[in-house]
Amino acid sequence: MNQHISYPEGGEKIKIDGDRIVVPDNPILGYVEGDGIGPDITAACMRVWDAAVEQAYGGKRKVHWAELFMGEKAAGLYDGDYFPEETQRALEDLVVSIKGPLTTPVGGGFRSLNVALRQKLDLYACVRPVRHYAGVPSPLKHPEDVDVVIFRENTEDVYAGIEYQSGAEDNKKFADFLKNEMGETFWEDAGFGVKPISPFGSKRLVRKAIQYAIDHNRESVTLVHKGNIMKFTEGAFRTWGYEVARDEFGEHTITEEELYSTYGGKRPEGKIVIKDRIADIIFQLMLLRPNEFDVLATMNLNGDYLSDACAAEVGGIGIAPGANMSDNVAVFEATHGTAPKYAGQDKVNPGSLLFSGVMMLEYIGWQEAADLITAAYQKVVTNGIVTYDFARQIEGATEVKTSQFGDAIIDQMRGKVDLEKYQQQREEAIEQERKEREERRVKNPLEEMVASGRIPHTVGDLMNPGPVSVPASTTVEDAMHLMRERRISSVICQPESDGGEWGIMTQRDVLSRIVSANRSPNSVKVGEVATRPLVTVQVDMTLHDCAEKMSTGNIRRVVVMDANNQPVGIISDTDIFASVEQFGLPE
Ligand code: NAP
């Protein structure tokens, strides 16, 4: 029996069936209004969410809200308990909830209430969509290019709380162990933080990110890491991420390496590209080429930095939404704090909580209601009706209160938003951008790959794809025409019979074996002058190994073979030279 929580009559609970949630038309959703500015923004947002659902479904669907208690309100009701047991049970029981910001109680036995919530419910994924809304002030020239969803791991990394303070007894024990047993060296009295990163924790996070990309027709998932320095934690995260993609989503995914080596930069319909980027480079890329990225999967610390930095590109933390999720429970939340100096003034921007609610509506599959709010919000802000924080940045804006801002969105939704047009425009814009990116990749694979932050590692990254092959019976004259037409300096000679050997005929072969020998090119077959056996390398060979093979064999170009032993490209010493000159020798 609950002390203070009761479920509204007429509502039904959301259920979990396998790995899918089953949402009735009258779901009970939990809400925690939060501390400080929490009650102001929660009141305004609940009116907007309800109005959107009413407008989208004409009464056929309705949210039944159950109030849950955390923070100061809970402490008042439950005798000083900031996170009562029954709230935890209700969050699990109701599956989907939303919460305002919470004050961290001083001396309440928690590092932070939000951390306690994540730990107790094992909400292992922090999901932060970051996109620009028309009218919102931004420091970028093209903020509309930013449209990513960040999946940040919530339970591991240096945030796991395994820390030993300088001078403390346990610190000395730990330091002794490291020095005496492990032979490590460090400065005297160093404090320590341990960074656990496990296959289990990494894989479940990446799995969720890939599943999201599949469900939402996203183009790519990028694993963000600093694996070049922290090989067994951040590097391992990258390795495990690729493993999940290959082992569990092989049908749906290709790697970025395959995108270039096998598909020449053209993404096969419906496939999600799995790629990875070094953490520090991703910050630069999210400023310079944000539209290269779609879904980002990160460890805890990198994700913390990255989500706030990306949010700042498109309007800041005042409107950035978020959610924390496990496989069975999702808690959506405002990402800012309680801003105590504004509490009760009906003043602040409700955007962060509002869009967390939009995420929540999308999560339960009520996309039409979510889109109505998004479309109406942009119209209202574009018309210059904003709260104080945006009013400071937009000249000539009309400053309104939190509740008035909510009213303006509701007015806009009631009759004045052409939802279909909004949805169609957004889909067309996304499609158009994808096409443009693909065209660039296909036209100039190497340049695009490098500009998008991928450093060539393997032969497949660097080769010139689509080598031209001819039957051995082709005359040298015909092959010469073909080479001139295609502007290539060699052709590959197909095997003369099953199990026969591939060969190669270069311009030099024609000069030395035909022209200087005074033979007529139309009377000699390519098979007679081609060099065999063809020196080949596998598409995933490293540049280092390829260079070694070339220098040992004293040859200037080799043919690249795929897993089925078919030629898929050619790589020359000049290609490797140019790459190493520009990027250095890859790790
Ligand atoms: P904060 O509450 O986020 O406020 C910092 C500043 O951010 C505000 O003074 C205000 O800037 C701006 N701001 C925040 N929310 C806004 C909104 N909705 N609309 C417009 N501007 C907004 O951070 P804090 O002062 O560091 O933390 C206060 C308390 O919140 C602490 O107890 C902290 O532990 C807690 N906290 C809770 C959460 C959470 O529950 N998720 C997250 C972070 C912090 P201006 O002064 O420039 O107007």
Side-chain angles (χ1 to χ4, degrees):
M1 191 58 200
N2 283 339
Q3 236 184 310
H4 297 288
I5 295 173
S6 61
Y7 294 164
E9 278 179 25
E12 261 179 79
K13 286 194 288 189
I14 290 177
K15 295 200 176 64
I16 302 277
D17 178 18
D19 54 3
R20 298 268 143 192
I21 61 168
V22 182
V23 183
D25 282 341
N26 54 345
I28 305 174
L29 302 185
Y31 77 96
V32 176
E33 67 174 16
D35 301 326
I37 54 173
D40 286 349
I41 55 175
T42 303
C45 290
M46 282 175 80
R47 286 193 297 114
V48 176
W49 299 325
D50 283 342
V53 170
E54 168 69 29
Q55 186 71 22
Y57 309 114
K60 193 177 162 288
R61 287 176 166 169
K62 184 178 185 326
V63 175
H64 294 255
W65 298 103
E67 181 165 14
L68 316 179
F69 305 97
M70 277 184 87
E72 285 163 3
K73 196 165 181 179
L77 286 169
Y78 295 82
D79 199 19
D81 189 351
Y82 284 83
F83 186 10
E85 183 71 35
E86 67 178 31
T87 295
Q88 184 185 328
R89 275 203 313 271
L91 288 166
E92 285 166 327
D93 190 35
L94 294 177
V95 181
V96 177
S97 303
I98 189 158
K99 64 174 267 295
L102 297 168
T103 310
T104 292
V106 182
F110 298 116
R111 260 197 303 161
S112 125
L113 271 178
N114 292 309
V115 173
L117 176 68
R118 284 170 209 164
Q119 283 175 349
K120 287 198 172 178
L121 298 176
D122 192 27
L123 304 176
Y124 65 82
C126 174
V127 186
R128 298 265 297 262
V130 186
R131 61 168 280 210
H132 184 249
Y133 299 103
V136 172
S138 154
L140 292 196
K141 280 193 190 139
H142 292 288
E144 68 280 2
D145 284 352
V146 180
D147 184 3
V148 295
V149 183
I150 301 172
F151 280 73
R152 166 189 165 197
E153 206 288 327
N154 248 344
T155 65
E156 296 198 294
D157 208 340
V158 281
Y159 284 37
I162 310 175
E163 291 194 290
Y164 304 106
Q165 192 181 0
S166 171
E169 206 41 52
D170 55 3
N171 172 291
K172 290 202 183 88
K173 249 195 206 166
F174 190 64
D176 281 349
F177 169 75
L178 286 180
K179 263 188 199 151
N180 303 333
E181 306 278 324
M182 307 300 287
E184 307 293 358
T185 52
F186 39 84
W187 298 119
E188 202 56 34
D189 289 334
F192 297 101
V194 177
K195 180 181 176 76
I197 301 286
S198 68
F200 172 76
S202 305
K203 284 187 174 182
R204 67 177 177 172
L205 186 273
V206 175
R207 185 177 298 123
K208 213 172 188 56
I210 297 177
Q211 189 61 53
Y212 177 92
I214 293 170
D215 293 345
H216 294 83
N217 184 27
R218 290 285 186 150
E219 199 178 37
S220 66
V221 174
T222 305
L223 309 167
V224 177
H225 62 92
K226 190 79 184 157
N228 52 339
I229 306 294
M230 291 169 272
K231 295 190 192 320
F232 303 134
T233 49
E234 306 240 347
F237 174 83
R238 169 184 182 272
T239 308
W240 292 322
Y242 278 115
E243 271 177 29
V244 174
R246 189 192 59 215
D247 298 346
E248 300 178 27
F249 298 96
E251 294 267 290
H252 296 280
T253 61
I254 57 168
T255 61
E256 189 177 31
E257 198 253 295
E258 289 168 328
L259 173 71
Y260 286 102
S261 63
T262 310
Y263 302 101
K266 194 170 167 53
R267 184 174 70 110
E269 188 67 28
K271 296 271 188 195
I272 289 156
V273 180
I274 309 293
K275 49 190 179 181
D276 71 282
R277 292 290 181 274
I278 300 287
D280 39 39
I281 295 174
I282 198 82
F283 282 86
Q284 176 172 322
L285 291 168
M286 277 307 298
L287 284 167
L288 301 180
R289 296 174 70 99
N291 72 1
E292 298 284 342
F293 301 97
D294 233 332
V295 174
L296 301 167
T298 80
M299 281 154 284
N300 209 337
L301 178 64
N302 293 334
D304 195 0
Y305 298 152
L306 191 61
S307 358
D308 280 2
C310 291
E313 294 180 10
V314 291
I317 143 158
I319 66 153
N324 290 295
M325 299 183 185
S326 68
D327 292 330
N328 300 323
V329 181
V331 181
F332 295 80
E333 67 170 6
T335 51
H336 54 71
T338 57
K341 66 181 176 188
Y342 297 124
Q345 294 179 27
D346 194 17
K347 183 177 171 77
V348 297
N349 191 340
S352 176
L353 190 66
L354 186 71
F355 283 113
S356 301
V358 167
M359 256 180 106
M360 180 172 70
L361 291 169
E362 288 175 350
Y363 186 74
I364 63 171
W366 295 9
Q367 188 67 44
E368 299 79 6
D371 283 351
L372 260 180
I373 299 173
T374 309
Y377 176 91
Q378 299 186 86
K379 287 223 158 159
V380 170
V381 176
T382 309
N383 289 341
I385 299 170
V386 291
T387 45
Y388 85 98
D389 51 326
F390 283 3
R392 296 193 287 215
Q393 303 173 62
I394 305 174
E395 214 174 303
T398 311
E399 183 182 327
V400 295
K401 290 179 173 300
T402 312
S403 54
Q404 291 170 326
F405 185 74
D407 292 339
I409 294 179
I410 294 171
D411 284 348
Q412 192 67 50
M413 286 191 302
R414 292 202 171 130
K416 293 188 209 132
V417 175
D418 185 344
L419 189 55
E420 261 177 40
K421 191 166 148 213
Y422 164 78
Q423 284 164 329
Q424 195 186 344
Q425 276 174 348
R426 181 152 167 77
E427 272 163 31
E428 280 172 7
I430 290 174
E431 209 39 56
Q432 180 60 26
E433 263 192 51
R434 281 186 183 174
K435 252 197 216 139
E436 284 168 14
R437 277 199 298 277
E438 182 157 296
E439 269 165 26
R440 286 202 307 264
R441 283 199 306 260
V442 171
K443 207 164 148 205
N444 248 329
L446 183 58
E447 265 173 40
E448 274 309 296
M449 175 173 64
V450 170
S452 79
R454 180 174 166 81
I455 296 172
H457 288 264
T458 62
V459 164
D461 291 338
L462 208 57
M463 69 184 190
N464 302 294
V468 177
S469 72
V470 295
S473 57
T474 313
T475 64
V476 171
E477 184 176 27
D478 285 348
M480 287 168 73
H481 292 325
L482 188 68
M483 286 157 76
R484 198 171 59 86
E485 244 169 54
R486 303 273 187 99
R487 298 171 187 228
I488 49 177
S489 57
S490 58
V491 286
I492 301 193
C493 174
Q494 294 164 5
E496 283 179 57
S497 56
D498 276 357
E501 281 182 324
W502 291 85
I504 186 168
M505 183 185 82
T506 64
Q507 280 179 349
R508 250 170 84 176
D509 294 330
V510 175
L511 288 184
S512 62
R513 294 179 199 171
I514 306 288
V515 183
S516 66
N518 232 354
R519 298 167 80 188
S520 168
N522 67 5
S523 64
V524 185
K525 308 276 187 255
V526 171
E528 293 170 46
V529 271
T531 309
R532 294 192 189 81
L534 184 62
V535 181
T536 62
V537 292
Q538 286 298 308
V539 72
D540 57 358
M541 185 183 251
T542 63
L543 297 184
H544 164 271
D545 290 353
C546 181
E548 196 177 16
K549 188 157 187 174
M550 283 177 172
S551 59
T552 321
N554 197 21
I555 38 173
R556 298 198 47 205
R557 66 169 72 70
V558 289
V559 173
V560 182
M561 307 299 262
D562 68 8
N564 302 320
N565 237 12
Q566 293 298 310
V568 286
I570 293 190
I571 183 167
S572 71
D573 55 358
T574 322
D575 298 329
I576 298 182
F577 181 92
S579 168
V580 174
E581 185 271 326
Q582 200 174 350
F583 311 110
L585 198 57
E587 297 277 333

